[in-house]
Amino acid sequence: MALWGGRFTSDTNQDVAEFTESISFDKRLYKYDIMGSKAHVTMLAKQNIIPTETATAICAELTKIEEKIDNKKFEFSFDLEDIHMHIETALIESLGKEGARVHTARSRNDQVALDTRLYLRDEVTIICSAIKELQKSLVELGDENIDAILPGFTHLQHAQPVLFAHHLLAYVEMLSRDIERLEECRTRFNVLPLGSGAIAGTTLPISREIVAELLDFPAITRNSMDTVADRDFACELLSNLSIFAMHISRLSEDIILWSSQEFNFIELDDAFCTGSSLMPQKKNPDIAEIARGKTARIYGDLMSLLTLCKGLPLTYNRDLQEDKEPLFDAIDTVKLILKVYAPMVATMNINKDNMLKAASDPNLMATDIAEKLVELDVPFRDAHHRVGALVKWCKENSKELNEVSLDEMKISIPEADKSFLDLFSPLSSIEKREILGATGPKEVNKQIKFWRDKLIE
Ligand code: ARG
């Protein structure tokens, strides 16, 4: 008979046990469950709710159970539903009546909320430091190739020349906001839920402050009903992971494009690509593709959880047991992506010549001509129009912008002088852009230094 079976006359049907179990996935919470129970019984003893010897014996036994699980010597079974029941049952098996005191003034409803929150504390730390490693790889790659210039794109059309490092640092910025978001949502889940009981708290004189202190929670939840019903901290985390994945997916798309034959800007290291079973010549950017694909899965996890919660009346409903698989899946997936992504970035080879060739398309410097006219006091809209006319003239006369003579240029731009003919080098175009946030080499070097200092911190 299950631990909750006092009012039942028959055992659970085996199919029902299999249908309702969560041990197959919540066993990963065992360390947090044990940590929580230790703090809980320590507090119960301090408050004279259970004898001190009982609390000591329970803590010692919990350590043994933890070792057993660590060493894969602990037996899990569907009949015991979840990790909480497994650990409590093991305690009672070894300590009898004294073990049966562990669940005093506690419900699995506040217990599972506690375990999940403790688990997220660790996982967010791990994920943030892995994102930092990826940022370091991007900064490093940019710095090593600080002289590489490529065309920047808008609408996937050549726009203006930019430093390759500038492009990479754009992702470093996005990733830093991802870290910020993940750290900020910690303030929401790093709050002690235990003590809320099943829904309404407890009649026993527990001290939630003691538990909060023992488990290093800076805050305690204020409403027991909210506490056992709430999963918005998990929704928030999954939203943040989804945004992170969206960034990774965009970087992946850039990497996939850059490594295509059409662009040929980079070559991924052999160790981070795979071949085709049919076409012998192929070398595919699979990591980037799979990361882009796994983004869909992380969005799916977020959608599962939001949909799971939307129709639930207060407070705890068993549906909430289904929160864990999407949460774990998104966390595992993000960690998996990060594990291969940083070394893939670190080992990629850059084809600077091809990048520069593409960035040398004189059309990319059309804006520079217009801005030069602004310096000569031509209103920008008129300047834009004149350069547009020049581009049109070039098309009609089958010439590139940098092939026109000064007289030909003057047809569209009467203000042009000889210096206008020198505007078509991507390097000098970049060197003129030294305002804060722009792609000038001095500015980008400053940004690299900023990130180096920040990431070493
Ligand atoms: N396994 C459950 C979950 O993950 C634990 C809480 C169960 N509570 C209950 N009253 N049946 O949500």
Side-chain angles (χ1 to χ4, degrees):
M1 190 66 79
L3 287 181
W4 40 252
R7 55 105 73 212
F8 287 75
T9 42
S10 64
D11 279 339
T12 315
N13 170 294
Q14 196 50 38
D15 290 338
V16 174
E18 276 182 35
F19 183 67
T20 55
E21 66 87 22
S22 57
I23 188 61
S24 56
F25 49 89
D26 67 16
K27 59 177 170 232
R28 76 160 75 186
L29 297 175
Y30 74 96
K31 275 189 193 294
Y32 305 105
D33 200 75
I34 287 170
M35 195 190 291
S37 289
K38 284 183 174 173
H40 183 62
V41 293
T42 305
M43 176 277 292
L44 290 177
K46 279 204 170 127
Q47 298 296 100
N48 295 317
I49 300 170
I50 65 170
T52 305
E53 309 79 67
T54 303
T56 311
I58 290 177
C59 286
E61 195 54 37
L62 283 169
T63 302
K64 283 191 205 152
I65 294 172
E66 184 170 355
E67 281 164 11
K68 256 184 151 176
I69 303 179
D70 283 343
N71 300 324
K72 315 235 172 316
K73 300 244 160 64
F74 192 89
E75 211 181 297
F76 294 106
S77 114
F78 287 170
D79 297 327
L80 291 176
E81 255 183 70
D82 55 25
I83 189 62
H84 328 295
M85 287 303 193
H86 274 79
I87 292 173
E88 190 181 339
T89 305
L91 267 181
I92 296 172
E93 268 168 18
S94 337
L95 301 178
K97 211 167 106 242
E98 295 315 297
R101 294 190 197 277
V102 66
H103 210 52
T104 312
R106 186 176 72 174
S107 157
R108 277 185 293 157
N109 298 353
D110 56 353
Q111 191 178 0
V112 73
L114 174 69
D115 293 7
T116 311
R117 285 163 185 251
L118 288 171
Y119 162 77
L120 291 186
R121 277 201 323 205
D122 281 354
E123 292 300 328
V124 163
T125 305
I126 295 170
I127 289 173
C128 286
S129 71
I131 298 177
K132 268 193 177 174
E133 287 309 308
L134 176 56
Q135 286 182 301
K136 281 186 201 162
S137 298
L138 289 164
V139 171
E140 203 59 50
L141 185 68
D143 201 6
E144 280 164 13
N145 298 282
I146 189 64
D147 54 342
I149 300 175
L150 81 171
F153 292 80
T154 61
H155 313 268
L156 198 55
Q157 309 280 321
H158 283 178
Q160 293 179 327
V162 290
L163 282 180
F164 177 58
H166 192 55
H167 194 132
L168 296 178
L169 289 183
Y171 285 105
V172 176
E173 296 283 346
M174 294 178 214
L175 295 174
S176 78
R177 290 192 296 275
D178 291 332
I179 292 177
E180 257 171 51
R181 264 184 289 270
L182 286 165
E183 283 298 347
E184 278 163 15
C185 81
R186 186 191 290 275
T187 55
R188 249 91 55 204
F189 65 71
N190 197 16
V191 182
L192 176 80
L194 205 67
S196 300
I199 167 169
T202 172
T203 57
L204 296 164
I206 60 167
S207 164
R208 299 184 69 197
E209 289 74 11
I210 292 179
V211 181
E213 190 163 345
L214 289 171
L215 293 174
D216 203 20
F217 278 104
I220 301 172
T221 61
R222 276 187 299 266
N223 181 306
S224 62
M225 293 180 73
D226 168 43
T227 306
V228 293
D230 165 47
R231 293 293 181 272
D232 62 44
F233 64 90
C235 295
E236 193 180 354
L237 181 81
L238 286 185
S239 309
N240 294 341
L241 292 180
S242 295
I243 296 173
F244 160 76
M246 178 265 288
H247 289 148
I248 285 291
S249 194
R250 295 186 75 166
L251 174 57
S252 297
E253 178 63 15
D254 275 345
I255 288 173
I256 293 162
L257 286 173
W258 289 344
S259 61
S260 70
Q261 287 74 16
E262 280 66 27
F263 282 74
N264 198 6
F265 287 174
I266 61 163
E267 192 180 341
L268 294 172
D269 191 87
D270 280 0
F272 292 92
C273 289
T274 61
S276 157
S277 54
L278 191 145
M279 298 168 280
Q281 86 285 9
K282 290 284 293 247
K283 179 170 157 184
N284 299 325
D286 304 63
I287 292 183
E289 292 174 280
I290 293 173
R292 192 177 54 185
K294 283 193 187 292
T295 300
R297 172 179 176 148
I298 295 168
Y299 291 2
D301 291 328
L302 170 64
M303 284 308 133
S304 297
L305 190 63
L306 287 171
T307 313
L308 176 72
C309 296
K310 73 177 269 295
L312 297 183
L314 292 192
T315 56
Y316 179 84
N317 297 271
R318 191 66 184 273
D319 317 42
L320 289 175
Q321 177 167 295
E322 293 286 312
D323 67 346
K324 279 173 268 318
E325 281 171 297
L327 192 60
F328 296 165
D329 184 69
I331 287 171
D332 291 347
T333 306
V334 162
K335 283 160 78 178
L336 217 55
I337 293 173
L338 283 164
K339 199 164 151 189
V340 287
Y341 224 92
M344 175 189 72
V345 167
T347 54
M348 70 169 71
N349 290 303
I350 310 306
N351 298 337
K352 282 186 207 170
D353 293 346
N354 281 339
M355 286 183 177
L356 186 62
K357 213 164 110 203
S360 301
D361 170 358
N363 283 305
L364 273 73
M365 272 58 83
T367 315
D368 296 41
I369 309 177
E371 290 187 346
K372 177 112 180 147
L373 284 169
V374 168
E375 283 171 14
L376 299 176
D377 208 30
V378 180
F380 180 75
R381 190 48 61 210
D382 298 339
H384 186 283
H385 201 81
R386 279 172 223 186
V387 180
L390 175 65
V391 170
K392 185 162 167 246
W393 186 92
C394 284
K395 260 196 125 196
E396 287 163 358
N397 293 276
S398 306
K399 284 201 173 186
E400 293 294 340
L401 274 177
N402 58 350
E403 289 167 359
V404 296
S405 68
L406 184 54
D407 285 341
E408 288 167 336
M409 192 181 275
K410 281 184 174 222
I411 302 171
S412 316
I413 306 175
E415 296 82 355
D417 59 39
K418 257 173 55 203
S419 68
F420 277 62
L421 302 177
D422 301 329
L423 289 174
F424 298 104
S425 133
L427 180 62
S428 58
S429 167
I430 280 175
E431 279 172 343
K432 277 189 235 106
R433 292 180 157 73
E434 289 292 7
I435 58 149
L436 195 151
T439 199
K442 286 197 193 99
E443 178 61 18
V444 172
N445 269 306
K446 215 170 78 198
Q447 302 287 345
I448 287 180
K449 187 177 168 342
F450 168 82
W451 282 113
R452 273 196 183 289
D453 293 347
K454 199 172 159 70
L455 291 168
I456 293 165
E457 216 171 67

